[in-house]
Amino acid sequence: MSNLEDLYREIILDHYRSPRNRGELATPPAHRVEGFNPLCGDEVVVYLDVRDGVLADIKLTGHGCSISQSSSSLMSGAVKGKTIDEVNATIDSFKKLMTVHESALAKEEDHDDEVDLRRLGELAALQGVVKFPVRIKCATLAWNTLRQGLEELV
Amino acid sequence: MSNLEDLYREIILDHYRSPRNRGELATPPAHRVEGFNPLCGDEVVVYLDVRDGVLADIKLTGHGCSISQSSSSLMSGAVKGKTIDEVNATIDSFKKLMTVHESALAKEEDHDDEVDLRRLGELAALQGVVKFPVRIKCATLAWNTLRQGLEELV
Amino acid sequence: MTSFSARRVRADIPQLTRVVNGRTITYLDSGASSLQPRSVIDAMSRYYELRHANVHRGVYQTANEATEAYEGSRNAVARFINAPGGENEVVFTKNTTESFNLLAKSWGATNLKSGDVVLVSEMEHHANIVPWFQLRETTGIEVRFIPVGDDYRLDLSNLDELLKGVKLLSITGMSNVLGTRPPVKDLARAAHDVGALIAVDAAQMLAHGPTDVTELDVDFAAFSGHKMLGPTGIGVLWTREQVLDTMPPFLGGGGMIADVRTDGYTPAKGVSRFEAGTPPIAEAVGLHAAVRYLEGLGMENVAAHERTLTQDALTRLELTFDGRVRVIGPLNTIERGGVISLDVEGVHPHDVAQVLDQFGVCVRPGHHCAKPLMRRFGLAATARASFGPYSMTKDTDVLLEALEHALKMFG
Amino acid sequence: MTSFSARRVRADIPQLTRVVNGRTITYLDSGASSLQPRSVIDAMSRYYELRHANVHRGVYQTANEATEAYEGSRNAVARFINAPGGENEVVFTKNTTESFNLLAKSWGATNLKSGDVVLVSEMEHHANIVPWFQLRETTGIEVRFIPVGDDYRLDLSNLDELLKGVKLLSITGMSNVLGTRPPVKDLARAAHDVGALIAVDAAQMLAHGPTDVTELDVDFAAFSGHKMLGPTGIGVLWTREQVLDTMPPFLGGGGMIADVRTDGYTPAKGVSRFEAGTPPIAEAVGLHAAVRYLEGLGMENVAAHERTLTQDALTRLELTFDGRVRVIGPLNTIERGGVISLDVEGVHPHDVAQVLDQFGVCVRPGHHCAKPLMRRFGLAATARASFGPYSMTKDTDVLLEALEHALKMFG
Ligand SMILES: Cc1ncc(COP(=O)(O)O)c(C=O)c1O
Ligand SMILES: Cc1ncc(COP(=O)(O)O)c(C=O)c1O
């Protein structure tokens, strides 16, 4: 069952059990954006407080599987306090990590290097997800919602 | 090719080449009714002149295959001048002939007796059609149209 | 009755010998789609090998054979559900969902007007909700919901009130989430008493017990081939001939017309009016084989078998997990079938299914296309195990083993 | 180019070894439906044996495999027709007819208003006529017909006039009666010049030559699996992603929603918005195998092969029957494909087909779902012979022999 342990790393289970930045922000001033995964019913609501080009605060509510919830928790930690450009760069890196397809992984093990894992920090724990293509949507739900929220703010 | 000759008896080809009672009747007093076979495009138009419970005159136009055209020609001869009750009885007999399914025919050869072939006269030439189930609709088109016309007159 | 053997059924299903993650498959997802016996698969292959042709318009032999095969399937389906008007009442669609759309957009659009009520229930599949919402947008009908009680059954205490203004009651014969089987026959009487018609979503019924539309006294029934051991790509809308004759066409095209001119068209009569274009011919052949297979099993036998399996599973889930695995649905087998939705403490259904997959266990996580029901119980999703005629207690054994692991892992 | 061998293709088609009325089948009805190669039949059997499951909502392995197989087919179809936006533009339907209904009832109903013109042609199949008539009933659009000239080609002399007020030009890529191939690319330019979109009925194109929607510069294309060596029960509507994104849902149900509440629903994004209910999964697998098979043949090769066959048949029909068998369609192979409609002197098409059946020859009599065209030429029906990649000159030999017999019999 090595595969399962690739997916459910300890850090993921930890963020699932104790999600960070959980809650709501008053809107306005914050911006609220919802994401659905219609296929599995996962929902995430992201509250963004952007000031002077910086994501000053972020909170999340919603529900879903360990992957979607830990991913949103990990995301919140990774983007909070960053400039919008930095946030966008992090979204890009994460989404890149998630599109490295299983077969590609299998072929060249060091393919990962294309994505700067160090820059992703804790987020790298989610890289096992790509071996379970159907779960990629869980992992990216919060990220797509965040991106949508940022676009709505422009 | 015995089957083909069962279907295309000489009398059928004759009625196909020289259809009887072809033409139109003035409406009114005659009643006009149309029949389609949507599956093959066959069309038949029946003109009925019913007086005092008798089908005083009948004419037909339309186009279609040898089976539908010979059947309508044979029909016109069989019903013209008959009382409506007789016409309905003839329609019933003919439709019965056409519903004797191929497999039934194969099982009991004398099954035919159920339909009084003598009473059908020349119409009996069409009995080979039941061995070609897809052509039954051709043979019955004019008959169903005639029945519809009679019903509309009631 | 004694001739039924789930072991023999299982031996007829090629996929059940498949090994996944080192374990032979434990298929508990018949609620989503059932598996096909060899005879169904072979019937379709033989059809393509020997007698494929387009139907209805050919006179050559294979075209006749294809037409007879297609129409023969219609006849078999009519017999299987005991349709009073036989094959003249069976319309082939692509799935249950299209059947409901046909019902709403043909019968509904012409028979319902602003203010008329379509009564559904909170436990309906989206297939029996969204088409009515779509119709509401265009005609202003009201879509009303029969509530579901805390006992996971329809709350019919206010039925008289609910039925006011109702022109159609459209109700599932078995919930694909709860397993609940509403009292369709009683509801048919109640609907008819107020002059309404009743449609039954039979998608979850056909493979799991006898379905007799005459006995149930319903007016419409919708179901899918792929949930009754048959192929994908085919469904059925059954309705009484008198009702069908009043329904205008839905999809337009070849086959459904009597005539087309440059200035208009005349629809065909009968079931073909609703079957535009080349129909699912091979699929009808496969469905016929499935019907024959199910008839061979005896639907009473299948119902009894699944009842036993379900009772056993419900009991053992309770005994083994002592509340940490909650069943979302009735806990006895009175008016319920073999669909068991689970809520596993601390483990999201998605994760439950993922862990179970490692044991070769196929269960389905999600909202099961019944979001209003999920909302009713404050759930986003469940992990659903569902039985078929080929299911056995050993499937439950593996399910329990795998659930244990999931609880441990996330605990 | 030299690697194509019709004999080898023929050997791949199980049905072509069948004996009917003492003769090996001569299949000349590919225009109605093509025959399936072994690889297509086997792909579907293997799917049912190994990895059938409902798609999209499962996490267990066979459900993933089924989903990948289904989506993989979408991808293959997109590549086969060179869809600019890839698989995001390929909607699976049940057949060409449903594709046109989707086009009319989703795109048409929202983009067209009273007075807007949909321009079709007199040589259209009912699938590309009736849905527009239906839309006319609800929205008051005008349905206008491009006339067909005595040369059996579109009469485009008045095109500028015809295009006035046109919002959609919807035209066949090849007539299923005449064999005529309208100049789709030129028509696309003309349509776009007046700000209209263009849809192509590609049902008769896919199996007979390259179909490149990017090169043709069309906006919609509709076709069926069963006419391209694939299974029944599946069709495609292709459209540009920008257009697709603006189209509201058509059928409502599971799979096409993002959310359903008791008070309403939110449709899903992308192609799934148009795929309500369990899709034709095995059929998609079969279609994928058919695409792979056709790619292996090389569509240029197939086109060249059918062109040679058609020219040979047209020439020999003329030489052999000296006018007693009239071809209803262009007499050369310029802008025409391998569909040959026959008018046999003194023999009704139905009877032609019946006599031919005795020789094992499969041709189709009737109006071929193109009644306006039949009326245009004062015909009720034709007997139609049509080629496929597996057709050979020996098929034409038997056709001529049998036609000779029919003429003698009715002469
Ligand atoms: C040109 C054309 N368009 C549309 C169709 C309809 O295809 P289907 O019956 O698969 O919907 C056909 C086939 O009959 C056709 O030949
Ligand atoms: C109760 C019920 N109704 C309708 C459906 C829809 O069936 P299909 O997806 O075959 O259209 C399903 C299956 O998902 C179901 O379980």
Side-chain angles (χ1 to χ4, degrees), chain A residues 44-83:
Chain A
V44 55
V45 183
V46 182
Y47 295 84
L48 304 174
D49 189 356
V50 176
R51 297 182 192 189
D52 309 324
V54 171
L55 181 56
D57 202 1
I58 179 169
K59 292 267 186 208
L60 295 118
T61 66
H63 46 76
C65 65
S66 60
I67 304 303
S68 74
Q69 298 307 297
S70 63
S71 184
S72 56
S73 173
L74 283 157
M75 177 184 85
S76 67
V79 298
K80 187 168 160 174
K82 295 273 166 67
T83 68

Short mmCIF file of all heavy atoms in Angstrom, two decimals, chain A residues 44-83:
data_model
loop_
_atom_site.label_atom_id
_atom_site.label_comp_id
_atom_site.label_asym_id
_atom_site.label_seq_id
_atom_site.Cartn_x
_atom_site.Cartn_y
_atom_site.Cartn_z
N VAL A 44 -15.51 24.96 -1.48
CA VAL A 44 -14.59 25.79 -0.71
C VAL A 44 -15.00 27.24 -0.90
O VAL A 44 -15.42 27.64 -1.99
CB VAL A 44 -13.12 25.53 -1.11
CG1 VAL A 44 -12.90 25.72 -2.60
CG2 VAL A 44 -12.16 26.39 -0.33
N VAL A 45 -14.96 27.97 0.20
CA VAL A 45 -15.26 29.40 0.12
C VAL A 45 -14.00 30.13 0.60
O VAL A 45 -13.48 29.84 1.68
CB VAL A 45 -16.45 29.78 1.02
CG1 VAL A 45 -16.77 31.26 0.85
CG2 VAL A 45 -17.66 28.92 0.69
N VAL A 46 -13.53 31.02 -0.25
CA VAL A 46 -12.30 31.75 0.06
C VAL A 46 -12.65 33.22 0.31
O VAL A 46 -13.39 33.82 -0.47
CB VAL A 46 -11.29 31.64 -1.10
CG1 VAL A 46 -9.98 32.37 -0.74
CG2 VAL A 46 -11.00 30.19 -1.44
N TYR A 47 -12.13 33.75 1.41
CA TYR A 47 -12.27 35.18 1.72
C TYR A 47 -10.91 35.83 1.55
O TYR A 47 -9.93 35.38 2.17
CB TYR A 47 -12.75 35.38 3.16
CG TYR A 47 -14.15 34.86 3.40
CD1 TYR A 47 -14.37 33.51 3.69
CD2 TYR A 47 -15.25 35.71 3.33
CE1 TYR A 47 -15.64 33.04 3.90
CE2 TYR A 47 -16.54 35.24 3.53
CZ TYR A 47 -16.73 33.89 3.83
OH TYR A 47 -17.99 33.42 4.04
N LEU A 48 -10.86 36.86 0.70
CA LEU A 48 -9.59 37.50 0.39
C LEU A 48 -9.60 38.95 0.87
O LEU A 48 -10.53 39.69 0.56
CB LEU A 48 -9.38 37.53 -1.13
CG LEU A 48 -9.43 36.21 -1.86
CD1 LEU A 48 -9.36 36.46 -3.36
CD2 LEU A 48 -8.28 35.35 -1.38
N ASP A 49 -8.57 39.31 1.55
CA ASP A 49 -8.44 40.72 1.92
C ASP A 49 -7.18 41.26 1.24
O ASP A 49 -6.07 40.98 1.70
CB ASP A 49 -8.36 40.84 3.44
CG ASP A 49 -8.45 42.30 3.89
OD1 ASP A 49 -8.48 43.18 2.99
OD2 ASP A 49 -8.48 42.54 5.10
N VAL A 50 -7.38 41.94 0.14
CA VAL A 50 -6.25 42.44 -0.64
C VAL A 50 -6.11 43.93 -0.41
O VAL A 50 -7.07 44.69 -0.56
CB VAL A 50 -6.47 42.15 -2.15
CG1 VAL A 50 -5.31 42.77 -2.96
CG2 VAL A 50 -6.57 40.66 -2.40
N ARG A 51 -4.90 44.32 -0.01
CA ARG A 51 -4.65 45.76 0.22
C ARG A 51 -3.31 46.12 -0.38
O ARG A 51 -2.31 45.47 -0.08
CB ARG A 51 -4.57 46.06 1.72
CG ARG A 51 -5.86 45.78 2.42
CD ARG A 51 -5.80 46.13 3.87
NE ARG A 51 -6.99 45.53 4.49
CZ ARG A 51 -7.35 45.79 5.74
NH1 ARG A 51 -6.63 46.58 6.50
NH2 ARG A 51 -8.44 45.23 6.22
N ASP A 52 -3.32 47.16 -1.19
CA ASP A 52 -2.08 47.67 -1.79
C ASP A 52 -1.30 46.55 -2.46
O ASP A 52 -0.07 46.40 -2.25
CB ASP A 52 -1.18 48.34 -0.72
CG ASP A 52 -1.97 49.36 0.08
OD1 ASP A 52 -2.83 50.04 -0.52
OD2 ASP A 52 -1.74 49.44 1.31
N GLY A 53 -2.00 45.71 -3.22
CA GLY A 53 -1.28 44.69 -3.97
C GLY A 53 -0.78 43.54 -3.12
O GLY A 53 0.03 42.72 -3.57
N VAL A 54 -1.25 43.48 -1.88
CA VAL A 54 -0.80 42.40 -0.99
C VAL A 54 -2.02 41.63 -0.49
O VAL A 54 -3.06 42.22 -0.19
CB VAL A 54 0.00 42.96 0.20
CG1 VAL A 54 0.26 41.87 1.24
CG2 VAL A 54 1.32 43.56 -0.28
N LEU A 55 -1.91 40.34 -0.43
CA LEU A 55 -2.99 39.52 0.13
C LEU A 55 -2.84 39.56 1.65
O LEU A 55 -2.19 38.71 2.25
CB LEU A 55 -2.90 38.08 -0.40
CG LEU A 55 -3.98 37.09 0.07
CD1 LEU A 55 -5.37 37.62 -0.26
CD2 LEU A 55 -3.76 35.73 -0.56
N ALA A 56 -3.45 40.59 2.23
CA ALA A 56 -3.22 40.85 3.65
C ALA A 56 -3.76 39.74 4.53
O ALA A 56 -3.16 39.36 5.52
CB ALA A 56 -3.86 42.19 4.03
N ASP A 57 -4.93 39.22 4.13
CA ASP A 57 -5.50 38.13 4.93
C ASP A 57 -6.28 37.17 4.04
O ASP A 57 -6.78 37.57 2.98
CB ASP A 57 -6.40 38.68 6.04
CG ASP A 57 -6.56 37.68 7.19
OD1 ASP A 57 -5.95 36.57 7.10
OD2 ASP A 57 -7.29 37.99 8.15
N ILE A 58 -6.40 35.95 4.46
CA ILE A 58 -7.18 34.96 3.73
C ILE A 58 -7.80 34.00 4.74
O ILE A 58 -7.15 33.61 5.73
CB ILE A 58 -6.31 34.18 2.71
CG1 ILE A 58 -7.14 33.11 1.97
CG2 ILE A 58 -5.08 33.56 3.36
CD1 ILE A 58 -6.42 32.51 0.78
N LYS A 59 -9.06 33.70 4.54
CA LYS A 59 -9.74 32.70 5.38
C LYS A 59 -10.50 31.75 4.47
O LYS A 59 -10.88 32.11 3.35
CB LYS A 59 -10.74 33.39 6.32
CG LYS A 59 -10.09 34.24 7.38
CD LYS A 59 -9.87 33.48 8.67
CE LYS A 59 -9.36 34.44 9.75
NZ LYS A 59 -8.53 33.70 10.74
N LEU A 60 -10.74 30.57 4.98
CA LEU A 60 -11.45 29.58 4.19
C LEU A 60 -12.51 28.87 4.99
O LEU A 60 -12.31 28.57 6.17
CB LEU A 60 -10.46 28.52 3.67
CG LEU A 60 -9.40 29.03 2.70
CD1 LEU A 60 -8.03 28.82 3.30
CD2 LEU A 60 -9.55 28.36 1.36
N THR A 61 -13.63 28.59 4.33
CA THR A 61 -14.58 27.62 4.88
C THR A 61 -14.88 26.61 3.77
O THR A 61 -14.31 26.69 2.69
CB THR A 61 -15.90 28.28 5.34
OG1 THR A 61 -16.56 28.79 4.19
CG2 THR A 61 -15.67 29.37 6.35
N GLY A 62 -15.78 25.71 4.06
CA GLY A 62 -16.11 24.70 3.04
C GLY A 62 -15.93 23.32 3.62
O GLY A 62 -15.68 23.13 4.81
N HIS A 63 -16.10 22.36 2.78
CA HIS A 63 -15.93 20.99 3.24
C HIS A 63 -15.54 20.14 2.06
O HIS A 63 -15.82 20.46 0.90
CB HIS A 63 -17.23 20.46 3.86
CG HIS A 63 -18.42 20.77 3.03
ND1 HIS A 63 -18.72 20.09 1.88
CD2 HIS A 63 -19.35 21.75 3.15
CE1 HIS A 63 -19.81 20.61 1.35
NE2 HIS A 63 -20.23 21.63 2.09
N GLY A 64 -14.91 19.04 2.40
CA GLY A 64 -14.46 18.16 1.32
C GLY A 64 -13.51 17.13 1.87
O GLY A 64 -13.40 16.95 3.10
N CYS A 65 -12.83 16.47 1.00
CA CYS A 65 -11.99 15.35 1.39
C CYS A 65 -10.68 15.86 1.98
O CYS A 65 -10.39 17.05 1.96
CB CYS A 65 -11.73 14.47 0.19
SG CYS A 65 -10.78 15.29 -1.09
N SER A 66 -9.90 14.95 2.47
CA SER A 66 -8.63 15.32 3.10
C SER A 66 -7.75 16.06 2.11
O SER A 66 -6.99 16.95 2.51
CB SER A 66 -7.92 14.07 3.60
OG SER A 66 -7.66 13.18 2.52
N ILE A 67 -7.83 15.70 0.87
CA ILE A 67 -6.95 16.34 -0.12
C ILE A 67 -7.39 17.78 -0.37
O ILE A 67 -6.57 18.70 -0.34
CB ILE A 67 -6.94 15.52 -1.44
CG1 ILE A 67 -6.51 14.07 -1.18
CG2 ILE A 67 -6.01 16.19 -2.46
CD1 ILE A 67 -5.18 13.91 -0.50
N SER A 68 -8.69 17.97 -0.60
CA SER A 68 -9.12 19.34 -0.90
C SER A 68 -8.95 20.23 0.33
O SER A 68 -8.56 21.40 0.21
CB SER A 68 -10.56 19.37 -1.43
OG SER A 68 -11.49 19.13 -0.41
N GLN A 69 -9.22 19.70 1.49
CA GLN A 69 -9.15 20.53 2.69
C GLN A 69 -7.72 20.81 3.11
O GLN A 69 -7.38 21.93 3.48
CB GLN A 69 -9.94 19.88 3.84
CG GLN A 69 -11.43 19.74 3.52
CD GLN A 69 -12.08 21.04 3.09
OE1 GLN A 69 -12.15 22.01 3.83
NE2 GLN A 69 -12.54 21.11 1.84
N SER A 70 -6.87 19.81 3.02
CA SER A 70 -5.47 20.05 3.39
C SER A 70 -4.83 20.97 2.36
O SER A 70 -4.02 21.83 2.70
CB SER A 70 -4.70 18.75 3.51
OG SER A 70 -4.65 18.08 2.27
N SER A 71 -5.22 20.80 1.11
CA SER A 71 -4.65 21.66 0.07
C SER A 71 -5.04 23.12 0.31
O SER A 71 -4.20 24.01 0.17
CB SER A 71 -5.10 21.20 -1.32
OG SER A 71 -4.50 21.96 -2.32
N SER A 72 -6.30 23.34 0.72
CA SER A 72 -6.68 24.74 0.94
C SER A 72 -6.00 25.28 2.20
O SER A 72 -5.58 26.45 2.22
CB SER A 72 -8.21 24.89 0.99
OG SER A 72 -8.77 24.06 1.96
N SER A 73 -5.86 24.45 3.18
CA SER A 73 -5.17 24.88 4.40
C SER A 73 -3.70 25.21 4.09
O SER A 73 -3.19 26.27 4.46
CB SER A 73 -5.26 23.78 5.45
OG SER A 73 -4.47 24.10 6.57
N LEU A 74 -3.07 24.31 3.36
CA LEU A 74 -1.67 24.54 2.98
C LEU A 74 -1.55 25.79 2.11
O LEU A 74 -0.62 26.59 2.26
CB LEU A 74 -1.12 23.33 2.22
CG LEU A 74 -0.77 22.11 3.09
CD1 LEU A 74 -0.78 20.82 2.27
CD2 LEU A 74 0.60 22.32 3.74
N MET A 75 -2.51 25.96 1.23
CA MET A 75 -2.50 27.13 0.35
C MET A 75 -2.56 28.41 1.16
O MET A 75 -1.80 29.35 0.91
CB MET A 75 -3.69 27.06 -0.60
CG MET A 75 -3.81 28.28 -1.50
SD MET A 75 -5.28 28.22 -2.55
CE MET A 75 -6.53 28.90 -1.45
N SER A 76 -3.48 28.42 2.12
CA SER A 76 -3.66 29.66 2.88
C SER A 76 -2.34 30.08 3.54
O SER A 76 -1.98 31.26 3.53
CB SER A 76 -4.78 29.50 3.91
OG SER A 76 -4.40 28.58 4.91
N GLY A 77 -1.64 29.11 4.07
CA GLY A 77 -0.36 29.42 4.69
C GLY A 77 0.67 29.92 3.68
O GLY A 77 1.47 30.80 3.97
N ALA A 78 0.60 29.37 2.50
CA ALA A 78 1.61 29.70 1.50
C ALA A 78 1.42 31.07 0.86
O ALA A 78 2.36 31.64 0.33
CB ALA A 78 1.63 28.62 0.40
N VAL A 79 0.17 31.57 0.86
CA VAL A 79 -0.08 32.81 0.13
C VAL A 79 -0.34 34.01 1.03
O VAL A 79 -0.24 35.16 0.60
CB VAL A 79 -1.25 32.66 -0.88
CG1 VAL A 79 -0.92 31.60 -1.94
CG2 VAL A 79 -2.56 32.34 -0.15
N LYS A 80 -0.65 33.75 2.26
CA LYS A 80 -1.03 34.85 3.15
C LYS A 80 0.15 35.81 3.35
O LYS A 80 1.27 35.38 3.64
CB LYS A 80 -1.47 34.26 4.49
CG LYS A 80 -2.04 35.27 5.45
CD LYS A 80 -2.70 34.56 6.61
CE LYS A 80 -2.84 35.49 7.80
NZ LYS A 80 -3.63 34.83 8.86
N GLY A 81 -0.17 37.09 3.14
CA GLY A 81 0.87 38.10 3.35
C GLY A 81 1.75 38.33 2.14
O GLY A 81 2.64 39.20 2.17
N LYS A 82 1.53 37.58 1.08
CA LYS A 82 2.37 37.73 -0.12
C LYS A 82 1.79 38.82 -1.03
O LYS A 82 0.60 39.14 -0.98
CB LYS A 82 2.39 36.41 -0.88
CG LYS A 82 3.06 35.27 -0.12
CD LYS A 82 4.57 35.25 -0.37
CE LYS A 82 5.28 34.36 0.64
NZ LYS A 82 4.94 32.94 0.44
N THR A 83 2.63 39.34 -1.90
CA THR A 83 2.12 40.24 -2.93
C THR A 83 1.32 39.41 -3.93
O THR A 83 1.50 38.19 -4.05
CB THR A 83 3.26 40.93 -3.71
OG1 THR A 83 3.94 39.94 -4.49
CG2 THR A 83 4.24 41.61 -2.77
#
